[in-house]
């Protein structure tokens, strides 16, 4: 299973923040750029001027040097100063692909695959906690993928296992992402019972044409209903993702 549990760190090696301009990747990108018919496309009206570039993973995987397990793990207690840590737990399952999404995900997986992933995620987090001499969450965020892809029972057991593995102080920001298609009262009740105090709903747009075009599998009205269910369930902090 691919485990993506990120214990956030402020340290990034300088050679990754400032890659050499004469690297093979730079030459490859420049060569590729020269083959693109940009002027032809612009003359045809196919052109988009963007003043920014979104890169969700920096540096890219291709730019990262190979390292050994010993380099990654290091001294089990090195850097374990007792400070709190922002914890992100990735849940990669979805019912289908949303066409704009570039996060790691797997579609229509059966219960066995979900159970295997849950167990592996808890094992990984347990290893990190042991290495660090324990983990106390400064914040806890379940993202995806679609964390609400899990059944209510799976959500209950997964959250129980995570909270047994790390310390989750009462009152910290505890966020769980939900898709409108799986934002029913039973799932929301499970989240409330575990102390989740912030719901992040993937609304993306209130335009049904855009939602259909992006394969979102819900309407604007259903997104509003999901928000209303979250508020009725007692969540005072509800975030709406929009694109």
């Amino acid at each position: 299973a691919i485990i993506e549990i990120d214990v956030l760190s402020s340290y990034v090696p300088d050679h990754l923040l400032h890659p050499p301009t004469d690297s093979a990747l730079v030459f490859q990108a420049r060569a590729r750029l020269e083959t693109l018919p940009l002027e032809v496309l612009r003359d045809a009206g196919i052109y988009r001027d963007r003043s920014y570039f979104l890169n969700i993973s920096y540096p890219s995987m291709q730019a990262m040097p190979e390292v050994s397990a010993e380099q990654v793990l290091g001294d089990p207690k090195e850097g374990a100063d007792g400070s709190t840590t922002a914890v992100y737990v990735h849940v990669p399952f979805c019912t289908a692909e949303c066409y704009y999404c570039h996060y790691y995900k797997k579609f229509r997986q059966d219960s066995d695959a979900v159970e295997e992933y849950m167990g592996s995620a808890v094992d990984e987090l347990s290893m990190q906690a042991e290495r660090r001499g324990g983990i106390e969450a400064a914040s806890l965020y379940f993202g995806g993928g679609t964390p609400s892809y899990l059944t209510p029972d799976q959500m209950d057991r997964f959250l129980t296992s995570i909270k047994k593995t790390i310390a989750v102080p009462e009152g910290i920001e505890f966020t769980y992402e939900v898709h409108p298609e799986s934002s029913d009262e039973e799932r929301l009740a499970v989240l409330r019972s575990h102390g989740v105090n912030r719901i992040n709903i993937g609304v993306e747009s209130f335009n049904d044409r855009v939602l259909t075009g992006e394969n979102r599998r819900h309407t604007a009205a259903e997104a509003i209903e999901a928000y209303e269910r979250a508020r009725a369930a007692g969540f005072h902090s509800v975030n709406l993702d929009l694109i």
Side-chain angles (χ1 to χ4, degrees):
I2 294 179
I3 309 302
E4 186 177 337
I5 297 180
D6 303 326
V7 180
L8 302 181
S9 170
S10 60
Y11 173 72
V12 178
D14 186 68
H15 74 282
L16 296 183
L17 284 175
H18 306 286
T21 57
D22 59 348
S23 72
L25 282 175
V26 172
F27 283 122
Q28 180 181 336
R30 286 173 175 164
R32 175 61 177 149
L33 179 62
E34 291 175 358
T35 68
L36 298 177
L38 298 183
E39 293 302 325
V40 174
L41 293 175
R42 182 181 288 110
D43 291 343
I46 306 173
Y47 178 71
R48 184 176 183 185
D49 183 13
R50 297 181 63 174
S51 59
Y52 69 94
F53 178 75
L54 173 64
N55 190 345
I56 201 67
S57 176
Y58 184 84
S60 60
M61 291 295 292
Q62 306 98 297
M64 294 183 182
E66 291 189 14
V67 296
S68 66
E70 290 73 21
Q71 288 174 283
V72 173
L73 297 176
D75 185 338
K77 297 297 185 292
E78 184 179 354
D81 57 4
S83 60
T84 59
T85 304
V87 179
Y88 171 79
V89 181
H90 190 71
V91 182
F93 306 108
C94 298
T95 59
E97 182 178 14
C98 300
Y99 298 146
Y100 60 85
C101 180
H102 47 222
Y103 292 101
Y104 178 78
K105 62 268 185 187
K106 302 185 76 172
F107 307 120
R108 297 176 293 280
Q109 298 295 296
D110 60 27
S111 182
D112 288 344
V114 175
E115 295 288 342
E116 181 180 5
Y117 185 87
M118 288 164 50
S120 297
V122 172
D123 288 345
E124 172 75 10
L125 189 55
S126 178
M127 181 191 73
Q128 295 292 344
E130 183 177 353
R131 289 183 58 246
R132 296 168 61 91
I135 292 177
E136 178 179 327
S139 61
L140 180 55
Y141 192 107
F142 285 76
T146 308
S148 58
Y149 181 91
L150 277 57
T151 67
D153 175 66
Q154 288 171 333
M155 290 168 64
D156 182 37
R157 289 186 285 108
F158 195 32
L159 289 166
T160 297
S161 297
I162 294 290
K163 289 161 63 181
K164 286 181 178 178
T165 305
I166 63 174
V168 183
E170 184 177 352
I172 66 167
E173 185 173 271
F174 188 172
T175 304
Y176 202 97
E177 290 185 351
V178 302
H179 190 289
E181 69 180 350
S182 50
S183 61
D184 53 273
E185 288 85 353
E186 189 175 0
R187 283 180 169 85
L188 294 172
V190 169
L191 298 179
R192 282 285 292 169
S193 72
H194 280 280
V196 174
N197 53 27
R198 181 173 178 266
I199 294 293
N200 191 79
I201 302 175
V203 173
E204 313 314 341
S205 175
F206 288 105
N207 184 315
D208 285 338
R209 181 180 60 82
V210 172
L211 293 171
T212 299
E214 295 296 348
N215 197 34
R216 281 297 296 167
R217 307 173 302 288
H218 67 85
T219 64
E222 288 167 340
I224 294 171
E225 291 170 0
Y227 169 78
E228 292 173 342
R229 274 194 300 273
R231 295 288 289 175
F235 291 100
H236 300 294
S237 180
V238 181
N239 182 79
L240 306 182
D241 268 355
L242 297 169
I243 57 173

